[in-house]
Amino acid sequence: MTSSSSPSQDTQSFAQNHPDGLRADALMEEDVAWSHEVDGERDGDQFDRSERAALRRVAGLSTELEDVTEVEYRQLRLERVVLVGVWTSGTATDSENSLAELAALAETAGALVLDGVIQRRDKPDAATYIGSGKANELRDIVLETGADTVICDGELSPGQLIHLEDVVKVKVIDRTALILDIFAQHAKSREGKAQVALAQMQYMLPRLRGWGQSLSRQMGGGKGGGLATRGPGETKIETDRRRIREKMAKMRREIADMKVGREIKRQERRRNKVPSVAIAGYTNAGKSSLLNRLTGAGVLVQNELFATLDPTVRRAETPGGRIYTLADTVGFVRHLPHHLVEAFRSTMEEVGDSDLILHVVDGSHPAPEEQLAAVREVVRDVGATKVPEIVVINKADAADPLVLQRLMRNEKRSIAVSARTGQGIAELLALIDVELPHPSVEIEVLVPYTLGRLVARAHSEGEVISEEHTPEGTLLKLRVHEELAAELAAYVPAPAV
């Protein structure tokens, strides 16, 4: 969008200020009456009337295959979708970035993006999300492109969903349903599948559709039968809702049982005083690549949103020899559905129970600050605001040096790395060693050679300052936690006379 000087000048300046891949042109180009005497005297920049009222087509979002030979290798027919967003605040670039992210989500779900449009409004329309007139224009775009699905960049109410479908005559889904579908495709573990199923049922419960009273059931039989036992009983949709609630209750019990097993493992790590580090960050920021680089975990790495969903915990070691665990968590995204946050709360507790968070951000992304804000919002929701954080700016080999400088200037505890090339990994490991909590008790002991297990524990659970082998045993000066210090107290050498 540009300020109003004249319609032709607006189009030229907008084209110059936006890159080709994210330039949005007005859908309608009709002339609008404009008067210098009236419009030129207004205070401040004014949106041109035609652009302000139009659906703005976002160029560069189409992923339709042009080579027919590629289609022959497709086993399944991809859904053909048109994206639609409502721009209520921020700049035009922000709204286009959001729609570009929606396009990436649609591709991850297996859809074929044909077109994308943005409607400028103060707030979404309560009935059809984009307004009745623009809904009719959207129907024409759907007919023109041959799409069979419309995806809205926001969470639609049940009423908006029904009314917009009535107008465009094809299936309509929102951003929440799209993310839930991706999670359902990528969940592999039993717990992950159960959490996704619970989130889907929470989303679908208020959106069930039925034929109302025409599907009502006969009331249960009473004593003596007769007319008193007949009438409008439980409708089909009420039966479906009751069954979904029963399934949700069963699913919550199953997830709670699975949570117990993970809590036992965490308690074992706490008992052994093993520090934990959680990798959190925006989806496709390179969390799994960083985990593989630090531990050799072999986790799936793919240039795709939510490629890995189930959490992975691996053993790692600092340059000083301390053992700690490194946990890869599910990726976050802007406007992450609250159904998912609730369903995955037990998994996200890995972040809240950690001693240190590695907050991974994609340094090559057009808006890395927005990624940081979106992740911190979810971290705040799971109650992990007091955990120390290191901002790891990944993909430094592909990022703009000026962007890296800006991020490192704004984020005081940050480091630039490249999980692909290994740049900055050694510095990150050294920083983790410094930031992890340190044992509180400093002690000097002489451990007999027959008790090698205590020496091993001292290396794995504490910080060895110095080590010397003497004829009587191993002389250690180290920092340990209180429990291990109590065990080693019997081997404190007697003071020299």
Side-chain angles (χ1 to χ4, degrees), residues 1-15 18 23-32 46-57 87 92 96 118-121 134 137:
M1 284 294 177
T2 57
S3 59
S4 62
S5 55
S6 70
S8 59
Q9 293 175 358
D10 288 347
T11 305
Q12 292 174 2
S13 112
F14 183 81
H18 289 74
R23 188 175 64 244
D25 300 326
L27 179 65
M28 298 181 299
E29 295 292 338
E30 68 268 22
D31 293 331
V32 178
Q46 302 293 323
F47 288 115
D48 187 84
R49 295 192 190 99
S50 62
E51 293 188 5
R52 184 174 54 197
L55 283 175
R56 304 169 61 251
R57 180 172 271 116
W87 170 23
E96 290 166 9
I118 296 175
Q119 162 69 353
R120 181 75 168 97
R121 295 180 63 91
K134 299 307 168 189
E137 293 180 19

Side-chain angles (χ1 to χ4, degrees), residues 15 25 65-66 70 83 148 157 164 172 182 184 215 226 256 262 326 366 379 408 460 486 496:
D25 300 326
L65 295 176
E66 298 179 359
E70 293 186 20
L83 312 179
D148 50 30
S157 67
L164 190 56
V172 176
I182 295 172
L215 291 178
R262 192 171 51 254
L326 201 59
V379 169
M408 297 185 72
S460 62

Side-chain angles (χ1 to χ4, degrees), residues 168-244:
V168 299
K169 306 301 181 184
V170 294
K171 181 175 67 175
V172 176
I173 63 174
D174 57 14
R175 185 187 183 93
T176 300
L178 179 62
I179 295 176
L180 287 171
D181 181 72
I182 295 172
F183 271 59
Q185 292 180 39
H186 291 182
K188 296 292 184 284
S189 68
R190 178 167 170 260
E191 184 176 12
K193 292 179 180 178
Q195 290 169 329
V196 173
L198 175 61
Q200 286 180 318
M201 286 187 285
Q202 287 176 323
Y203 174 78
M204 287 302 300
L205 185 61
R207 292 170 173 81
L208 289 179
R209 304 185 192 180
W211 292 95
Q213 296 300 321
S214 62
L215 291 178
S216 63
R217 297 294 189 256
Q218 183 172 305
M219 293 174 65
K223 290 185 177 180
L227 296 177
T229 64
R230 301 179 183 278
E234 190 176 39
T235 62
K236 176 65 166 59
I237 194 169
E238 289 169 349
T239 305
D240 292 341
R241 285 175 179 156
R242 175 166 49 82
R243 288 176 177 172
I244 287 181

